[in-house]
Amino acid sequence: MSLDTYKQKRNFKESPEPTGGKANSKQLHFVIQKHDATNLHYDFRLEMDDVLKSWAVPKGPSTDPSVKRLAIMVEDHPYDYREFEGVIPSGYGAGTVIVWDEGYYEPAEDAGKTKKANDRLLQSQLKDGKLKITLHGEKLKGDYALVKAKGRGDNGWLLFKIKDEYASKTDITRKARSVISDKTLDEMAKDPGQVYEANEEQKKPAKKSTATVNTSKKQLVKKASAKKKAPLKNDIKKILAGAPPGKFPSAIKPMLATLIKEPPDGDDWICEVKWDGYRTLAYINKGKVQLQSRNNNSFNEKFYPIVDALKQWDGQAVLDGEVVVLDDKGISDFGALQNWRSEADGNLFFYVFDILWLDGKKLEDLPLLKRKQLLEHLQFNESSIRLSEGFGEPAEDFFNSAQQLGLEGIIAKKSTSVYEPGARSSAWLKVKVNNRQEMVIAGYTKNEDSPRVFSSLVMGVYNKKELQYMGKVGTGFNAATRKKMMKEFKPRVTKKSPFRQEPDVNKPSRFKPVGNDASVTWLKPELVCEVKYTELTKDGVMRHPVFIGMRSDKDASAVIKETPAATTKTTSSTKRKKIKEMVTPTSKQERKSLLNPTDKTQQKKLNGHELNFTNLDKIYWPKEKISKRDLINYYYQVAAFILPYLKDRPQSMNRFPNGINGKSFYYKDVSGSAPGWASTYKYRREEDNRLRHYLVATNEASLLYMANLGCIEMNPWSSRVNKEDNPDWCIIDLDPGKKNSFDDVIAAALATKTVLEELGVQGYPKTSGSTGIHIYIPLGARYSYEQSKQFAALVAQLVQERLPAITSVERIIKNRKGKMYIDFLQNRSHATVASPYSLRPKPGAPVSMPLHWEEVKKGLAITDFTIYNALDRLKSEGDIFKPVLGKGINLTKLIRDFEEKK
């Protein structure tokens, strides 16, 4: 395609925009660039014929299928434009550009096997005025349509989302940062230097090749990946030169902030989000990591993913920050953090806001601004380690934004402040949106005739080493929380009140004479929790208190009443960048582990059902040391991929309660043993007329229930309960004999592919996970098991005729003479094979993995796909087996055409 129009509109002596580039990838790429020109808009670009077909979308893309966005088709752009970010200083398109999203794409329907085939199909769709595509981006995923709009001129199109699993009412354009540099438009406008350096290479006399210039540019783009421009190495050296040497510390008490009523005035404050989590110091020393709470307790076991992430960093440092769990809006959720036991309980992050020691240097006496510069220089590859950014904007503006977003509050720090271990300093100030206070649990009450283990908690704080009564808290608990807390209470029960003067818990403003019977069970004042409330009465008792959660990270003796200090209210009303630019919603991450790595028994709620997972330390694969816990975590992580092939199908469970080397047994009839919530299928066999109940997989709970029973592999029927006699697929099972190598299996698989193609049928291969290969043919539940078996027998016969030396269709094993059996009998009613993505009880923990036909070639091995790498493959390839669940072949026509050819 011609780029003449593109080049005519630009002055490349001024513009840093690229001029060419040729695609060398095996996939078609797309990019969406956010462009603040005369009007803010989004440029939607699709790679076709080695250029980028481009549309300007004024309002940006939407994930809501009901929303149709106007898209104006503009001139083709060069392929290298997909990485362009920076500022166009003047002329056509003058303004700031960031790469808002990028990835690869393909036709949503009838996708070909090669990039070239897909490119041709898409060019044809473009010519017809209707593109239907599937995007695989960082922000945009799933199916979209670009359709020529009637009455909008030659260049008018409509861009809209097609309803699928990625459809959402959420405004996706609120995710404002670049997926390359992580900058917003404002940040790029202030600091586009890296891009201009790349452009300077282009302006120099042509001594270097275009390829060299492009490579240089890519490297510069990668260097711009930090949220803020990292200081230069010389600057880092200068900062460290000003710090005294010191041994690696083992215990530092964190610096604390003073509570104030209103945001401070002045322009020498650095503002941060007040995270609602556990204050944590991280000691990183040559691959060893120690996480410690503010009272010097270890968090290593509790927050093991953070420890693992920090171990990936190559350096020595002591970091100060907060461990949090973020909700889907990017807001820290202390309740979720308190109940966090494994990665399935929420997205765990360590927000780092200070650095106290680095590579042999003590940093506490350096100004905060310099410590922040050092912190920004560190590059953590793990997404769970994040920089808690500081903003040099008026504290009032920052606080107002925090209020609007529903955050706990803000921290304001003097830019010149040193780090004072253990001190509560006026150089660090905190302003809370709501009244929140850590409190000591002094006892609990229990109302008569109440089924609850306790009704309310008696709260106190210390005032000059004396516990001061703050009232009762009776809300914010659930049954599970109460039960768990009672276990903590029992060993601390005491007859003596921890208050000098015993309060009347029914009349907060009065005190009962000491010695009178009270309706309180007193506790030793050792436990700490957090409470929020609307205000305090004149007697210092909370109004409308709500329990937030336990605080195991704080010593009870250090809990004092926080009284906000008075401040002069700032009058600044300057409109600044809102805090929401920094606190962005958490993107949907790949699924992590369900079970934590320590507890042998764990209870989890799935699909509304409580499941009790037991014997989690039991080793299922002895050589590899893979446990039952690993098995369950695997199935939890692949649930979305495997469930379509299990859902609504009776299961033929094969249990391995003692691992792959122990005895196994089939467990098909769950009569009287399955949990009440489980779906079952009633089946009466003619042989004995006995009613059996097969477990029917319906959701994650049923999948993991089977895994907890020791089902290493998943063996579903080929049909669903609503069409029990009509399988969704036909299976060709290539089962090698004693004389066969795996290369023979590959040869038979390719011969099967050829036979099917000659019949006009598309087959879908997968490794069996054991010794062979399975080839599935979609039937769409339109035919009987008998018809499926007859068709499979025909295919088997045709393949055997092509490879008579290595294959057989003989049912009796001795008659096969060591040859590979082309098994078509797996298409009988109730016959099963391992599901796609199922683990197998074989050494190495192999997975039955769907394959691209291009992968079915010499060198392929069953051990290529295991519990260790299956998730990475699914992340990169997705579910390539989906067509097996599609419309299916026209078997009647196929057989008729075959008979006519004969």
Side-chain angles (χ1 to χ4, degrees):
M1 291 293 179
S2 173
L3 294 173
D4 291 346
T5 304
Y6 169 84
K7 292 177 179 178
Q8 289 169 5
K9 290 183 175 183
R10 287 160 178 82
N11 179 359
F12 292 104
K13 291 182 180 179
E14 299 292 336
S15 175
E17 295 167 281
T19 58
K22 188 173 179 63
N24 55 9
S25 165
K26 292 182 179 180
Q27 296 171 319
L28 293 167
H29 283 83
F30 83 93
V31 66
I32 301 175
Q33 282 151 317
K34 191 174 180 181
H35 190 175
D36 190 8
T38 305
N39 294 300
L40 179 67
H41 65 277
Y42 294 75
D43 291 312
F44 187 80
R45 310 191 196 280
L46 301 175
E47 177 194 341
M48 277 188 229
D49 199 14
D50 289 330
V51 298
L52 299 176
K53 295 293 181 183
S54 300
W55 290 261
V57 185
K59 293 185 178 181
S62 173
T63 54
D64 184 350
S66 66
V67 175
K68 291 180 172 57
R69 298 294 201 207
L70 177 65
I72 308 299
M73 194 171 190
V74 297
E75 72 276 7
D76 295 344
H77 282 54
Y79 179 75
D80 280 355
Y81 210 97
R82 67 191 182 89
E83 291 184 335
F84 172 69
E85 291 193 320
V87 176
I88 304 170
S90 61
Y92 181 76
T96 309
V97 178
I98 61 171
V99 175
W100 183 80
D101 195 18
E102 65 95 23
Y104 71 94
Y105 83 107
E106 60 193 344
E109 296 175 348
D110 302 320
K113 299 175 185 177
T114 65
K115 176 180 177 179
K116 191 172 182 180
N118 286 336
D119 198 342
R120 286 198 301 266
L121 175 60
L122 290 163
Q123 289 185 56
S124 175
Q125 290 183 6
L126 180 70
K127 187 177 180 180
D128 293 339
K130 187 176 182 180
L131 283 162
K132 190 175 180 182
I133 55 179
T134 301
L135 300 182
H136 302 275
E138 293 193 33
K139 295 177 182 176
L140 296 188
K141 299 179 187 296
D143 295 345
Y144 280 80
L146 260 171
V147 180
K148 199 79 178 289
K150 295 181 180 179
R152 296 279 187 172
D154 291 339
N155 296 331
W157 294 65
L158 294 175
L159 172 67
F160 56 91
K161 183 81 180 77
I162 295 172
K163 190 174 181 180
D164 60 14
E165 60 186 305
Y166 299 105
S168 171
K169 297 284 186 182
T170 303
D171 183 3
I172 193 70
T173 62
R174 292 182 65 181
K175 294 186 176 183
R177 293 189 176 274
S178 161
V179 296
I180 290 181
S181 65
D182 207 28
K183 293 181 180 180
T184 63
L185 279 170
D186 288 343
E187 290 168 351
M188 180 62 73
K190 292 175 184 177
D191 181 24
Q194 307 260 17
V195 174
Y196 279 111
E197 288 171 23
N199 189 48
E200 289 301 316
E201 294 288 343
Q202 293 175 328
K203 291 180 182 179
K204 290 178 182 179
K207 293 182 179 180
K208 297 182 179 181
S209 68
T210 305
T212 304
V213 173
N214 288 338
T215 302
S216 173
K217 184 170 184 179
K218 288 178 182 178
Q219 291 170 346
L220 290 167
V221 170
K222 287 180 180 177
K223 288 179 182 177
S225 61
K227 287 188 176 181
K228 292 186 176 181
K229 185 178 179 182
L232 298 174
K233 287 185 178 180
N234 287 339
D235 293 337
I236 295 300
K237 290 179 180 178
K238 288 179 182 178
I239 294 173
L240 288 176
K247 293 182 180 179
F248 188 84
S250 59
I252 301 174
K253 289 187 176 181
M255 183 174 174
L256 306 176
T258 298
L259 179 67
I260 60 175
K261 289 183 179 180
E262 296 171 339
D265 202 0
D267 57 4
D268 56 346
W269 295 98
I270 294 176
C271 294
E272 300 172 1
V273 170
K274 185 180 187 304
W275 298 104
D276 196 5
Y278 284 136
R279 183 74 175 276
T280 303
L281 289 175
Y283 298 83
I284 312 167
N285 189 7
K286 298 179 180 179
K288 296 180 180 179
V289 174
Q290 180 62 48
L291 296 184
Q292 291 181 336
S293 71
R294 57 188 288 178
N295 57 357
N296 215 30
N297 291 329
S298 175
F299 277 149
N300 278 36
E301 186 174 310
K302 183 174 180 62
F303 300 134
Y304 60 90
I306 301 300
V307 174
D308 292 342
L310 289 171
K311 284 180 178 178
Q312 304 306 311
W313 183 67
D314 183 22
Q316 293 177 283
V318 178
L319 308 175
D320 190 1
E322 196 100 356
V323 174
V324 301
V325 169
L326 298 185
D327 63 16
D328 56 2
K329 295 180 181 178
I331 308 301
S332 50
D333 183 341
F334 182 73
L337 177 67
Q338 185 196 21
N339 295 318
W340 196 93
R341 295 294 179 273
S342 72
E343 293 163 303
D345 295 329
N347 295 319
L348 194 70
F349 296 95
F350 181 37
Y351 273 94
V352 182
F353 49 70
D354 216 326
I355 182 166
L356 314 182
W357 190 94
L358 178 65
D359 295 337
K361 294 282 190 172
K362 291 178 63 177
L363 309 178
E364 290 113 317
D365 292 335
L366 292 180
L368 174 65
L369 202 56
K370 290 188 180 295
R371 300 201 304 274
K372 287 282 189 184
Q373 285 180 307
L374 290 172
L375 200 56
E376 290 170 8
H377 174 70
L378 303 184
Q379 297 293 320
F380 292 100
N381 296 325
E382 298 294 325
S383 61
S384 57
I385 312 301
R386 294 184 173 184
L387 176 65
S388 183
E389 291 185 71
F391 292 82
E393 66 176 80
E396 184 183 37
D397 289 359
F398 199 74
F399 181 75
N400 290 339
S401 297
Q403 281 184 308
Q404 294 169 12
L405 288 169
L407 301 180
E408 184 192 355
I410 70 167
I411 301 287
K413 301 176 180 178
K414 285 281 188 182
S415 61
T416 56
S417 62
V418 297
Y419 194 94
E420 303 173 70
R424 192 175 294 277
S425 171
S426 59
W428 285 18
L429 304 174
K430 59 183 175 182
V431 193
K432 296 183 179 181
V433 172
N434 297 308
N435 291 315
R436 291 170 70 119
Q437 168 78 51
E438 287 113 24
M439 296 199 182
V440 178
I441 302 174
Y444 63 88
T445 68
K446 188 178 188 307
N447 296 338
E448 292 183 8
D449 303 323
S450 172
R452 297 170 176 170
V453 292
F454 67 82
S455 300
S456 63
L457 301 180
V458 181
M459 299 282 98
V461 296
Y462 278 100
N463 183 10
K464 297 181 180 179
K465 297 186 178 181
E466 184 177 306
L467 199 63
Q468 176 183 332
Y469 179 63
M470 295 293 291
K472 292 188 303 180
V473 179
T475 59
F477 316 100
N478 57 32
T481 303
R482 291 175 194 269
K483 186 177 179 180
K484 185 177 178 181
M485 292 173 72
M486 278 302 295
K487 291 181 180 179
E488 297 277 349
F489 294 167
K490 285 182 179 180
R492 294 177 170 86
V493 171
T494 179
K495 292 181 179 180
K496 185 179 178 181
S497 166
F499 300 102
R500 184 177 63 83
Q501 187 175 1
E502 185 176 317
D504 186 341
V505 296
N506 297 311
K507 295 181 179 179
S509 62
R510 299 180 183 177
F511 291 89
K512 299 182 74 169
V514 176
N516 279 18
D517 292 337
S519 57
V520 180
T521 299
W522 298 114
L523 301 174
K524 294 176 183 177
E526 298 172 349
L527 298 174
V528 179
C529 69
E530 188 160 352
V531 177
K532 68 178 181 180
Y533 58 91
T534 56
E535 59 182 349
L536 297 177
T537 67
K538 291 181 180 180
D539 297 312
V541 174
M542 298 176 291
R543 288 174 57 85
H544 311 298
V546 178
F547 174 83
I548 301 298
M550 298 295 290
R551 299 297 309 230
S552 60
D553 60 324
K554 302 199 175 178
D555 284 326
S557 60
V559 175
I560 61 173
K561 184 179 178 182
E562 292 186 294
T563 304
T567 56
T568 303
K569 188 174 182 180
T570 178
T571 57
S572 172
S573 60
T574 306
K575 186 175 181 180
R576 302 281 182 150
K577 178 178 62 176
K578 296 298 183 183
I579 192 175
K580 61 185 176 183
E581 283 293 323
M582 196 272 284
V583 186
T584 54
T586 306
S587 60
K588 189 176 181 181
Q589 299 185 331
E590 68 224 51
R591 180 168 263 194
K592 300 291 182 69
S593 301
L594 174 71
L595 304 172
N596 69 55
T598 54
D599 297 338
K600 294 181 181 180
T601 298
Q602 297 177 43
Q603 192 175 68
K604 293 290 180 180
K605 195 169 187 177
L606 293 160
N607 307 118
H609 311 301
E610 294 286 351
L611 273 74
N612 197 40
F613 297 101
T614 58
N615 300 314
L616 296 176
D617 283 352
K618 186 175 284 187
I619 299 299
Y620 273 20
W621 284 267
K623 185 178 178 180
E624 298 80 8
K625 305 299 183 187
I626 298 172
S627 67
K628 181 180 178 182
R629 175 188 286 105
D630 299 320
L631 168 81
I632 294 170
N633 278 335
Y634 171 80
Y635 277 122
Y636 175 73
Q637 290 171 299
V638 302
F641 295 95
I642 195 173
L643 276 172
Y645 307 96
L646 306 179
K647 196 172 186 299
D648 300 327
R649 303 177 194 280
Q651 305 295 311
S652 182
M653 291 187 282
N654 188 11
R655 295 175 61 180
F656 291 78
N658 293 304
I660 66 171
N661 294 337
K663 290 183 178 180
S664 66
F665 59 95
Y666 276 93
Y667 180 63
K668 300 180 181 181
D669 186 6
V670 296
S671 299
S673 61
W677 52 261
S679 295
T680 58
Y681 170 74
K682 296 178 183 179
Y683 174 69
R684 194 181 299 275
R685 295 185 65 173
E686 293 181 1
E687 294 92 303
D688 56 12
N689 199 37
R690 184 166 71 85
L691 183 66
R692 292 171 170 81
H693 292 79
Y694 280 66
L695 183 77
V696 176
T698 53
N699 49 28
E700 291 176 14
S702 51
L703 169 63
L704 298 189
Y705 169 75
M706 290 190 287
N708 190 55
L709 289 177
C711 295
I712 291 176
E713 59 188 9
M714 298 296 155
N715 297 301
W717 286 14
S718 294
S719 58
R720 308 179 200 225
V721 290
N722 62 337
K723 284 192 173 183
E724 61 181 284
D725 297 321
N726 302 99
D728 287 294
W729 51 68
C730 172
I731 301 172
I732 307 297
D733 181 6
L734 303 177
D735 185 12
K738 293 180 180 180
K739 294 182 179 180
N740 295 122
S741 66
F742 196 66
D743 283 347
D744 290 340
V745 178
I746 292 168
L750 294 174
T752 305
K753 176 178 182 286
T754 301
V755 166
L756 290 174
E757 287 177 345
E758 289 175 354
L759 293 171
V761 172
Q762 175 70 49
Y764 299 89
K766 71 178 180 69
T767 62
S768 69
S770 179
T771 57
I773 286 179
H774 298 152
I775 300 168
Y776 280 46
I777 300 116
L779 298 179
R782 297 167 62 190
Y783 307 100
S784 68
Y785 272 105
E786 183 60 30
Q787 288 172 304
S788 175
K789 186 181 71 174
Q790 289 177 2
F791 174 63
L794 169 64
V795 174
Q797 186 63 48
L798 293 174
V799 173
Q800 196 276 331
E801 289 173 2
R802 290 172 183 248
L803 299 173
I806 61 172
T807 64
S808 171
V809 291
E810 291 288 343
R811 298 186 187 184
I812 301 173
I813 295 177
K814 67 177 182 179
N815 292 342
R816 299 174 195 166
K817 298 179 181 180
K819 297 179 182 179
M820 183 190 318
Y821 180 45
I822 307 175
D823 189 354
F824 55 87
L825 295 178
Q826 297 290 8
N827 299 286
R828 293 174 298 179
S829 178
H830 303 181
T832 62
V833 300
S835 165
Y837 313 115
S838 172
L839 281 163
R840 299 303 305 273
K842 304 290 180 181
V847 170
S848 182
M849 182 62 70
L851 302 166
H852 297 287
W853 274 114
E854 306 91 83
E855 296 174 302
V856 183
K857 59 185 179 181
K858 190 174 182 179
L860 175 69
I862 295 297
T863 52
D864 288 346
F865 309 102
T866 68
I867 193 173
Y868 299 111
N869 61 17
L871 291 168
D872 289 336
R873 178 175 172 86
L874 286 170
K875 184 179 176 182
S876 65
E877 302 296 321
D879 182 12
I880 63 174
F881 225 51
K882 271 184 182 179
V884 167
L885 296 171
K887 183 179 178 181
I889 64 174
N890 188 333
L891 187 54
T892 306
K893 181 177 182 301
L894 186 151
I895 296 297
R896 185 177 64 244
D897 292 347
F898 177 76
E899 292 295 335
E900 289 177 358
K901 289 178 182 178
K902 287 175 64 177

